[in-house]
Amino acid sequence: MTNNSTLPPPAHVPMTHFAEANGELMINGLPLSRVAARVGQTPFYAYDRSLMQARVAELRAALPNGIKLHYAMKANPMPAVVGLMAGLVDGIDVASAGELKVALDAGANPHEISFAGPGKRDTELRQAVAAGILVNIESFREVGLLAAISEELGYPARVAVRVNPEFELKGSGMKMGGGPKPFGVDAERVPQLLAEIGAAGLEFEGFHLFAGSQNLKAEAICEAQKKSWTLARCLADHAPSPVRFLNLGGGFGIPYFPGDQRLGLASIGDNLSNLAERTAKEMPQAEIVLELGRYLVGEAGIYVTRVIDRKESRGLTYLVVDGGLNHHLSASGNFGQVLRKNYPVTIGNRTANQAREIVSIVGPLCTPLDLLADRAMLPKAEIGDLVVIFQSGAYGASASPQGFLGHPPVLEVVV
Ligand SMILES: *Cc1c(COP(=O)(O)O)cnc(C)c1O
């Protein structure tokens, strides 16, 4: 039996991507208190433009030339963020007609927009065909509908097939492939689907495989990419035309919790170089696409909320802040996740404070689930100070129940 009692408890990786100066966190060169004054209210989300740019540059440097990067905008659909990403990456992945509108308004090139989702309504498919974007077909129903729409509008729908593979991305926070799934069409039924796409005269462009999300293990991601490539290579023999689009998914995770480490890109780059070489030989017209959401924007964002009260209760100090679960569901633990863990957090205007204390940070909602930090060691804070939740650039404002309990909505700014 091993005795782990001497090991230090797992800690968050340091959030050094945000600089500190004069005891304050800096957001793209501006002190947090100044950003807060500019915004004019708390709570708010702030997204650091320079960090998003740096993240894309870092990825491009680590991956072989020719790999296309798409932004899955459900991670953060704020129009200014989508506009910024549209200028940085090679395409935008949307999952609804609402997202499609934001992407088009932001200036994304329709030819480089793709649309996935298990329940596309007739009107959404029609909008997609009219916009000239690529539709990732996820059911036999969509083939017939797209054929009718193409005939009505007078030009063929551009389509790819979303494949539900027989494997999944190991160790993912969220599995989206393998076994029965509502996403895509089971791999064994894809040859029949491809025949129907050919018969319907749709413009077939390739395959979309997405095996899972929030993965911090490079080997697992490499394995899923290899298996996805091999499956696409097999299915290509049944396709009505050569594969031009080969979306191998994403799943790149970011460290949220104590003990999580940052994902290393070196082996993923090597693996993709290998797959790119094989693609050049065996599917020479195909471009490999990665679709990433949180990896591109998650670390660039913070949630900022102000301390409105300090309370002691039977030996525990509470900081009560002006926003919580209603704005940032995932940091609160998603309505009671089985084992709740803290996101990295700090007092953003007191980073140099030597005096530290253990506090729990709770939002203003009248429910014990409104917890942003459970007994965290932080710089000593006073009423009026700014609590910062890191790793908040993805699945924040748009993924939270803002109407719950009737508090004001959160603002979002790009800095
Ligand atoms: C949600 C989703 C993504 C983005 O996932 P992240 O974990 O944010 O990278 C990409 N592709 C598809 C198909 C998705 O559903």
Side-chain angles (χ1 to χ4, degrees), residues 213-234:
S213 216
Q214 180 46 25
N215 202 295
L216 293 171
K217 294 195 179 67
E219 324 83 76
I221 290 173
C222 291
E223 187 190 317
Q225 288 175 340
K226 273 188 263 191
K227 286 182 172 171
S228 297
W229 189 94
T230 304
L231 178 55
R233 175 67 194 84
C234 289

Side-chain angles (χ1 to χ4, degrees), residues 69-114:
L69 294 179
H70 279 202
Y71 174 52
M73 65 172 276
K74 84 168 188 277
N76 187 330
M78 184 199 183
V81 170
V82 176
L84 177 72
M85 296 309 299
L88 293 174
V89 298
D90 307 300
I92 305 286
D93 290 334
V94 303
S96 68
E99 288 192 351
L100 173 60
K101 179 185 187 305
V102 174
L104 291 171
D105 289 347
N109 178 355
H111 204 261
E112 311 301 338
I113 296 176
S114 59

Side-chain angles (χ1 to χ4, degrees), residues 178-329:
K181 286 284 180 300
F183 310 109
V185 171
D186 295 346
E188 56 277 21
R189 299 187 67 198
V190 168
Q192 189 199 336
L193 187 82
L194 289 165
E196 293 187 18
I197 287 171
L202 305 181
E203 195 172 317
F204 171 81
E205 297 196 5
F207 296 106
H208 174 214
L209 293 109
F210 187 78
S213 216
Q214 180 46 25
N215 202 295
L216 293 171
K217 294 195 179 67
E219 324 83 76
I221 290 173
C222 291
E223 187 190 317
Q225 288 175 340
K226 273 188 263 191
K227 286 182 172 171
S228 297
W229 189 94
T230 304
L231 178 55
R233 175 67 194 84
C234 289
L235 294 172
D237 290 338
H238 302 270
S241 58
V243 173
R244 286 175 274 163
F245 171 87
L246 183 49
N247 184 339
L248 296 180
F252 295 19
I254 62 172
Y256 287 110
F257 303 122
D260 286 354
Q261 297 299 316
R262 285 206 161 77
L263 178 67
L265 293 176
S267 60
I268 296 175
D270 291 345
N271 186 55
L272 285 170
S273 294
N274 187 273
L275 294 178
E277 277 170 35
R278 290 164 67 187
T279 304
K281 288 193 201 107
E282 299 181 43
M283 292 182 274
Q285 298 189 32
E287 280 184 338
I288 295 180
V289 174
L290 299 182
E291 56 175 10
L292 303 172
R294 78 186 78 220
Y295 191 78
L296 298 180
V297 296
E299 301 211 53
I302 55 173
Y303 174 64
V304 183
T305 173
R306 197 178 291 276
V307 179
I308 51 181
D309 208 346
R310 261 189 80 99
K311 295 168 62 167
E312 310 288 327
S313 171
R314 304 203 170 111
L316 183 57
T317 300
Y318 286 95
L319 302 180
V320 186
V321 296
D322 58 4
L325 175 158
N326 52 329
H327 299 153
H328 202 332
L329 181 66

